[in-house]
Amino acid sequence: MIITLEGAPAVGKSTTCVAIAQHYSAFVVPEVNKLFARPKHEPENWYLNRQVARWEMGIRQVEDYEWIVFDKTL
């Protein structure tokens, strides 16, 4: 099962992701800004490419985890 938690900053998405991971032994894919350092001069499509990298990271875990949880700030 793939779940995405999206919402405004500081509403508890990451905390909820951790709780889901602990309860269901899920794999959590952190939000872009926790995984990647934003470059000073951001190339075109940088953010989109990082989202694709996150998706690929989650999909690679499908064989090992029943639950994949994406943490995403709007």
Side-chain angles (χ1 to χ4, degrees):
M1 176 175 291
I2 296 175
I3 299 170
T4 300
L5 296 181
E6 297 184 16
V11 296
K13 296 177 305 299
S14 296
T15 301
T16 303
C17 285
V18 169
I20 291 170
Q22 291 173 343
H23 188 71
Y24 294 100
S25 299
F27 181 83
V28 176
V29 181
E31 59 187 290
V32 166
N33 295 328
K34 289 188 180 175
L35 281 176
F36 307 102
R38 191 170 224 119
K40 189 176 251 185
H41 301 290
E42 187 176 304
E44 185 176 358
N45 294 328
W46 180 87
Y47 193 79
L48 171 64
N49 291 333
R50 299 297 73 81
Q51 292 291 15
V52 170
R54 289 176 67 241
W55 177 257
E56 291 169 344
M57 180 185 300
I59 292 304
R60 282 193 301 270
Q61 301 303 320
V62 167
E63 292 182 17
D64 296 326
Y65 294 88
E66 186 176 347
W67 296 65
I68 310 297
V69 183
F70 286 87
D71 185 359
K72 185 174 182 298
T73 298
L74 292 177

